[in-house]
Amino acid sequence: RTNPEAEEYKSASAFAAKMVQRNYMIITGGGDGIMGGAQEGAGAENSFGLNIRLPFEQPANTTILNDPKLIQFRYFFTRKLNFVKDTDAFAMFPGGFGTQDESFEVLTLMQTGKALIAPILFIDKPGGYYWETWRRFLCNDLLTQGLVSESDFNLFTVTNNIDEAIAEIEKFYSNFHSYRWVRDKMVIRLQHRISAAALLDINHRFENILIEGGIAQMGALAEETDVPELAQMPRVVLTPHKRDFGLLRLLIDALNDAESA
């Protein structure tokens, strides 16, 4: 429902255009408003539209209309599954109930470990207060009543600057590549090894998240033969408890900031 003249629309369009310049594909909900703004900024050739069939909303936006990468969904839950499963970063712009639904869905999935940790950016127009008001609700009503944990706030960033949002995404993948679970072990793949001093520091800072042992740097595990294209990447392996994924996000940040070997 966002007007194309609105600053939020323009921010979404500019953000998508800048992400495409960095070789990212853009996935939107395929409709008008904010979705159309992001689609317009990305261009049809660099984007997908995951549209939902509704009785009064929403037709596909003109950028993605008739493109083979426009996919129609009957159910919201299957649409949200496809939003999440192949996404490397999430950018939320101001919107209505659907925006809130999708935002809390992503946060819930990461908070509970049902989705892999990835950057979540809540992006407002310059000088806007939509997401800042939302964050105050989380702090004043959820956190103070013990309904969420303080570390859950590590899972997302609120900003009204699209360049800050892009920098957050780029930093997240500056050394971190991906991770997987091998039984109870978390295997974090890196672009390059970190120094022995940095590893020692990380072990000290994050010892409270471990069930047993320490955080070790090693090569690929035997169980990872199903992804031979990633076999040469260095790994950091640990056995963490699975009840505080906000702290695992901080661990990824620490690996990105760590001195290279």
Side-chain angles (χ1 to χ4, degrees), residues 72-91:
Q72 303 286 351
F73 288 85
R74 182 176 181 182
Y75 300 109
F76 276 109
F77 76 91
T78 51
R79 181 178 181 236
K80 286 188 288 188
L81 171 64
N82 282 272
F83 273 140
V84 173
K85 70 183 183 72
D86 293 318
T87 297
D88 295 303
F90 299 87

Side-chain angles (χ1 to χ4, degrees), residues 4 9 11 37 43 49 88 98 130 137 154 165 168 170 191 202 241 244:
Y9 183 104
S11 290
D88 295 303
Y130 180 100
F137 160 67
N154 297 323
E168 175 81 6
E170 292 186 316
Q191 310 281 357
I202 286 173
H241 57 67
D244 200 334

Side-chain angles (χ1 to χ4, degrees), residues 31-251:
D32 289 320
I34 286 285
M35 295 175 283
Q39 209 98 55
E40 180 183 290
E45 65 277 14
N46 298 305
S47 62
F48 288 80
L50 308 188
N51 202 20
I52 184 80
R53 297 190 186 97
L54 298 175
F56 64 97
E57 291 177 329
Q58 61 193 33
N61 63 70
T62 55
T63 302
I64 201 67
L65 186 66
N66 299 322
D67 190 280
K69 299 190 301 306
L70 173 65
I71 306 166
Q72 303 286 351
F73 288 85
R74 182 176 181 182
Y75 300 109
F76 276 109
F77 76 91
T78 51
R79 181 178 181 236
K80 286 188 288 188
L81 171 64
N82 282 272
F83 273 140
V84 173
K85 70 183 183 72
D86 293 318
T87 297
D88 295 303
F90 299 87
M92 311 298 193
F93 287 84
F97 288 159
T99 297
Q100 296 294 323
D101 171 55
E102 290 158 5
S103 299
F104 279 117
E105 177 92 5
V106 170
L107 283 170
T108 301
L109 291 172
M110 286 196 200
Q111 179 203 46
T112 57
K114 293 296 184 181
L116 295 176
I117 297 169
I120 306 176
L121 289 309
F122 292 95
I123 307 172
D124 207 340
K125 65 181 179 181
Y129 53 84
Y130 180 100
W131 289 120
E132 192 55 48
T133 300
W134 173 85
R135 178 164 58 181
R136 287 183 195 142
F137 160 67
L138 298 189
C139 291
N140 296 340
D141 294 272
L142 301 188
L143 182 60
T144 57
Q145 295 184 52
L147 303 176
V148 296
S149 300
E150 187 173 357
S151 61
D152 292 333
F153 288 73
N154 297 323
L155 294 172
F156 65 88
T157 298
V158 173
T159 181
N160 58 11
N161 185 308
I162 60 172
D163 291 323
E164 287 182 3
I166 292 169
E168 175 81 6
I169 296 169
E170 292 186 316
K171 182 179 179 182
F172 186 85
Y173 293 106
S174 59
N175 188 19
F176 171 82
H177 178 274
S178 57
Y179 72 91
R180 67 178 294 176
W181 295 94
V182 176
R183 294 182 294 277
D184 291 331
K185 294 186 181 298
M186 184 182 190
V187 181
I188 302 175
R189 307 180 186 105
L190 302 177
Q191 310 281 357
H192 53 75
R193 291 176 61 85
I194 63 173
S195 69
L199 182 62
L200 185 64
D201 176 63
I202 286 173
N203 265 280
H204 176 70
R205 290 165 56 191
F206 292 94
E207 60 183 355
N208 61 324
I209 72 172
L210 302 175
I211 296 175
E212 60 183 11
I215 301 173
Q217 191 164 210
M218 59 182 65
L221 275 60
E223 293 88 347
E224 297 184 84
T225 54
D226 56 328
V227 282
E229 66 275 15
L230 304 179
Q232 299 306 313
M233 283 188 159
R235 268 74 165 163
V236 167
V237 180
L238 59 150
T239 308
H241 57 67
K242 298 179 183 180
R243 63 174 182 267
D244 200 334
F245 286 84
L247 291 181
L248 292 179
R249 169 59 204 260
L250 289 184
L251 171 61

